[in-house]
Amino acid sequence: MTETEAALRTLSHNVRAARTRAGLSLDELGRRAKVSKGALVALEKAQGNPNFATLVRLADTLGVSVSALMEGPVEGRVRVVSCDTVMPLWAGEKGGEARLMLTTSGPAPVEVWRWRLEPGEEYPSHPHQAGVVETVSVTAGRMVLVADGAEHPVEAGQTATFDGDVPHAYRGAGTGTCHLIMTVHLPPCL
């Protein structure tokens, strides 16, 4: 079995388990997450190929983190994750990408993401559920954080935080590649 097939099987199992725990039918999950029933059936049979936006809508609807849908069982007390072993969940038109490195466990999990944005490249995000807080820490280059229509430049060595329940976007700025670490702080109820 390839790494991609194994990841799809894990995703399939986790979506089905989360849907069952939430007491949702395929029809109801599809309606709430704005995903077709056919796509959900394929996904639960490990035959789908959902994009990043679909995964975010499913996670939000199911009340779990994106990584809770993607990760297998945790092994050991310490996890070390190498960037080259994590597949990008978003790839930009100019070569940028986003990788979900890991999610902490516990009652208020935190997702840790590594992003690379090329100048002018933008990732728009829909609003998350109330209580979700995001931070972006730029380690190299420059970006513009757009939150609820307002633009906020963030440069290397700076960190910004905002409530994720508004429309927001990340845009590479300047002349070089922007590297950043993004964290998504999930409220205990998710």
Side-chain angles (χ1 to χ4, degrees):
M1 176 182 332
T2 69
E3 188 174 318
T4 301
E5 291 170 331
L8 188 54
R9 283 191 181 184
T10 298
L11 176 63
S12 169
H13 173 269
N14 292 344
V15 168
R16 185 174 34 261
R19 180 178 64 78
T20 301
R21 277 192 310 274
L24 297 174
S25 67
L26 285 167
D27 288 324
E28 184 62 15
L29 176 58
R31 185 187 67 73
R32 291 183 186 184
K34 297 181 176 80
V35 176
S36 74
K37 181 179 178 181
L40 288 173
V41 168
L43 179 59
E44 287 195 5
K45 290 182 178 180
Q47 298 170 345
N49 186 17
N51 64 31
F52 179 55
T54 299
L55 291 176
V56 171
R57 286 194 312 273
L58 286 171
D60 281 349
T61 302
L62 292 167
V64 299
S65 66
V66 172
S67 62
L69 296 179
M70 310 266 321
E71 292 180 344
V74 176
E75 298 175 15
R77 294 176 59 109
V78 175
R79 272 188 299 164
V80 177
V81 180
S82 177
C83 192
D84 59 351
T85 64
V86 178
M87 303 229 357
L89 290 179
W90 173 79
E93 297 174 356
K94 299 179 181 181
E97 63 182 25
R99 296 173 190 252
L100 176 57
M101 298 303 296
L102 59 85
T103 300
T104 63
S105 59
V110 176
E111 296 177 349
V112 179
W113 294 77
R114 293 180 69 98
W115 283 76
R116 186 177 73 228
L117 293 168
E118 297 301 327
E121 192 169 47
E122 182 170 305
Y123 173 76
S125 179
H126 72 285
H128 301 294
Q129 293 182 350
V132 173
V133 175
E134 294 192 19
T135 65
V136 290
S137 295
V138 176
T139 59
R142 296 174 45 206
M143 69 169 288
V144 174
L145 167 64
V146 182
D148 206 16
E151 294 189 358
H152 307 274
V154 186
E155 299 186 14
Q158 294 181 321
T159 299
T161 187
F162 63 98
D163 292 333
D165 61 353
V166 297
H168 53 282
Y170 311 114
R171 182 183 323 127
T175 58
T177 302
C178 176
H179 293 270
L180 63 111
I181 303 296
M182 178 186 76
T183 58
V184 180
H185 303 259
L186 304 167
C189 61
L190 291 180

